[in-house]
């Protein structure tokens, strides 16, 4: 593992209540309501490999299936002309210090779809969907309480990630600095051999 230090920023959304954005005519944002390890593993690697996302590279097929079958996890896929262009993964946390919250766990675009202005729209959608989820699960609270939608990013992520979140209305509430545990041979880890072998065995 790498011995470099990385900085992680935790941010809470403090902006106004958001509505779903108007997307370009050739784009569609759709929730993936069937637990599909194939889809989510593809999205995680397709978006994250360039930034060396590694937290799920060692997951096997059953780990993905169990995780995605949890009602506290929801995924939306952005399509452009029928091709996956990006995704949003939200996690619902029932017990937090400030009551129920929704974490923007993963969010991003495939490299071929960056530079088109889709990132800010996808982030607006993530905030709106998080607020709507909280509204539906906690009807006795004000819809979209700002502090209940949060995210974390780090210095190894896209250099525009932190300013993009801040521009969208997220405010840093905690910062940490820890040794990076990115695999030394990221290209090898990104092959996800455990996932491939376990998927073959699962459908044998």
């Amino acid at each position: 593992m790498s011995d470099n230090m990385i900085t992680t920023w935790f941010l809470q959304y403090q902006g106004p209540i958001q509505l779903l954005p108007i997307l370009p005519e050739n784009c569609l944002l759709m929730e993936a309501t069937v637990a599909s390890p194939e889809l989510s593993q593809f999205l995680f690697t397709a978006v994250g490999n360039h930034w060396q996302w590694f937290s799920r590279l060692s997951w096997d097929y059953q780990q993905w299936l169990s995780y995605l079958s949890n009602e506290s996890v929801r995924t939306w896929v952005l399509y452009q002309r029928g091709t996956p262009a990006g995704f949003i993964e939200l996690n619902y946390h029932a017990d937090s210090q400030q009551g129920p919250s929704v974490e923007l766990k993963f969010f991003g675009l495939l490299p071929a779809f960056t530079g088109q202005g889709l990132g800010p729209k996808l982030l607006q959608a993530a905030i709106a969907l998080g607020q709507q989820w909280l509204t539906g699960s906690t009807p006795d609270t004000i819809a979209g309480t700002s502090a209940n939608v949060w995210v974390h990013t780090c210095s190894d992520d896209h250099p525009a990630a932190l300013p993009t979140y801040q521009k969208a209305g997220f405010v840093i509430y905690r910062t940490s600095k820890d040794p990076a545990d990115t695999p030394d041979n990221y290209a090898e880890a990104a092959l996800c051999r455990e996932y491939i072998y376990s998927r073959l065995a699962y459908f044998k």
Side-chain angles (χ1 to χ4, degrees):
M1 298 292 179
S2 171
D3 58 0
N4 294 328
M5 300 294 290
I6 64 168
T7 301
T8 301
W9 298 279
F10 297 83
L11 305 98
Q12 291 177 331
Y13 180 71
Q14 298 290 344
I17 294 173
Q18 291 287 350
L19 299 175
L20 288 172
I22 298 175
L23 296 171
E25 291 184 359
N26 62 1
C27 290
L28 172 68
L29 184 64
M30 179 180 293
E31 185 174 5
T33 57
V34 176
S36 172
E38 291 85 353
L39 175 63
S40 290
Q41 199 269 350
F42 159 75
L43 292 169
F44 179 84
T45 56
V47 172
N49 279 169
H50 190 64
W51 307 109
Q52 297 197 352
W53 292 2
F54 63 89
S55 60
R56 298 180 181 177
L57 296 182
S58 63
W59 282 19
D60 63 23
Y61 191 86
Q62 186 59 55
Q63 283 177 284
W64 274 107
L65 185 60
S66 297
Y67 175 76
L68 296 169
S69 299
N70 194 315
E71 292 183 354
S72 65
V73 177
R74 296 173 70 181
T75 302
W76 284 262
V77 184
L78 176 68
Y79 296 92
Q80 186 178 76
R81 290 183 291 173
T83 301
F87 80 111
I88 298 165
E89 182 186 303
L90 299 181
N91 286 188
Y92 180 85
H93 299 275
D95 300 316
S96 64
Q97 292 181 350
Q98 298 179 340
S101 69
V102 169
E103 175 187 7
L104 175 49
K105 187 68 176 180
F106 286 105
F107 154 84
L109 298 169
L110 277 72
F113 298 92
T114 60
Q116 302 180 33
L118 295 175
K121 290 184 178 294
L122 189 61
L123 181 54
Q124 180 183 340
I127 296 167
L129 291 166
Q131 291 176 329
Q132 290 174 15
W133 197 358
L134 285 166
T135 303
S137 58
T138 55
D140 56 330
T141 62
I142 298 175
T145 301
S146 295
N148 282 342
V149 178
W150 60 281
V151 66
H152 74 269
T153 187
C154 73
S155 52
D156 273 356
D157 211 343
H158 193 298
L162 180 60
T164 296
Y165 289 133
Q166 292 175 311
K167 185 176 181 179
F170 285 89
V171 176
I172 297 173
Y173 68 90
R174 181 161 66 90
T175 303
S176 66
K177 185 169 288 189
D178 304 283
D181 49 4
T182 307
D184 291 328
N185 189 342
Y186 184 84
E188 171 64 27
L191 294 175
C192 302
R193 297 181 187 276
E194 183 63 31
Y195 169 78
I196 297 298
Y197 292 142
S198 64
R199 184 176 182 274
L200 290 171
Y202 189 90
F203 290 105
K204 188 172 181 179

